[in-house]
Coordinates of all heavy atoms in Angstrom, one line a residue:
T2 N -73.8 -50.5 49.7 CA -73.3 -51.4 48.7 C -74.4 -51.9 47.8 O -74.2 -52.1 46.6 CB -72.6 -52.6 49.4 OG1 -73.4 -53.3 50.3 CG2 -71.3 -52.1 50.1
H4 N -77.2 -50.3 47.0 CA -77.6 -49.2 46.1 C -76.6 -49.0 45.0 O -76.9 -48.7 43.9 CB -77.9 -47.9 46.9 CG -79.2 -47.9 47.7 ND1 -80.0 -49.1 47.9 CD2 -79.8 -46.9 48.3 CE1 -81.0 -48.7 48.6 NE2 -81.0 -47.4 48.8
T19 N -69.5 -46.6 32.3 CA -68.6 -45.8 33.2 C -69.2 -45.8 34.6 O -68.5 -46.0 35.6 CB -68.4 -44.4 32.7 OG1 -67.8 -44.5 31.4 CG2 -67.5 -43.6 33.6
L34 N -63.9 -52.7 54.2 CA -64.2 -52.4 55.6 C -64.9 -53.5 56.3 O -64.5 -53.9 57.4 CB -65.0 -51.1 55.7 CG -64.3 -49.8 55.4 CD1 -65.3 -48.7 55.3 CD2 -63.2 -49.5 56.4
D56 N -64.9 -55.7 69.2 CA -64.4 -54.3 68.9 C -64.0 -54.1 67.5 O -63.6 -55.1 66.8 CB -63.3 -53.9 69.9 CG -63.7 -53.7 71.3 OD1 -65.0 -53.6 71.5 OD2 -62.9 -53.7 72.2
G101 N -98.1 -45.6 44.3 CA -97.9 -46.0 45.7 C -98.9 -47.2 46.0 O -98.4 -48.1 46.7
V119 N -94.5 -43.7 48.9 CA -94.9 -44.2 50.2 C -93.7 -44.0 51.1 O -92.6 -44.5 51.0 CB -95.2 -45.7 50.1 CG1 -95.6 -46.3 51.4 CG2 -96.3 -45.9 49.1
K134 N -81.4 -42.8 67.3 CA -80.4 -41.8 67.8 C -79.8 -40.9 66.7 O -79.2 -39.9 67.0 CB -79.3 -42.4 68.6 CG -79.8 -43.2 69.8 CD -78.6 -43.8 70.5 CE -79.0 -44.7 71.7 NZ -77.9 -45.4 72.3
T147 N -88.6 -45.3 36.9 CA -87.2 -45.8 37.0 C -86.3 -44.7 37.4 O -85.4 -44.9 38.3 CB -86.8 -46.4 35.7 OG1 -87.6 -47.5 35.4 CG2 -85.4 -46.9 35.8
E152 N -83.1 -41.8 41.7 CA -82.9 -40.6 42.6 C -83.0 -41.0 44.0 O -82.2 -40.5 44.9 CB -84.0 -39.6 42.3 CG -83.7 -38.8 41.0 CD -84.8 -37.7 40.8 OE1 -86.0 -38.0 40.9 OE2 -84.4 -36.6 40.6
V153 N -84.0 -41.9 44.4 CA -84.1 -42.3 45.8 C -82.9 -43.0 46.2 O -82.3 -42.7 47.3 CB -85.4 -43.2 45.9 CG1 -85.3 -43.9 47.3 CG2 -86.6 -42.3 45.8
M158 N -78.2 -43.1 49.7 CA -76.8 -43.3 49.9 C -76.2 -42.1 50.7 O -75.4 -42.3 51.6 CB -76.0 -43.6 48.7 CG -76.2 -45.0 48.1 SD -75.1 -45.4 46.8 CE -75.7 -44.4 45.5
L165 N -73.6 -43.0 58.9 CA -72.3 -43.6 59.3 C -71.4 -42.6 60.0 O -70.7 -43.0 61.0 CB -71.6 -44.1 58.0 CG -72.1 -45.5 57.5 CD1 -71.5 -45.8 56.2 CD2 -71.9 -46.6 58.5
Q167 N -72.2 -40.1 61.8 CA -72.7 -39.9 63.2 C -72.4 -41.1 64.1 O -72.0 -41.0 65.2 CB -74.3 -39.7 63.2 CG -74.7 -38.4 62.5 CD -76.2 -38.4 62.3 OE1 -76.9 -38.4 63.3 NE2 -76.7 -38.4 61.0

Side-chain angles (χ1 to χ4, degrees):
T2 59
H4 286 10
T19 302
L34 288 169
D56 288 342
V119 180
K134 297 177 184 176
T147 301
E152 287 183 309
V153 165
M158 285 191 289
L165 282 172
Q167 295 170 63

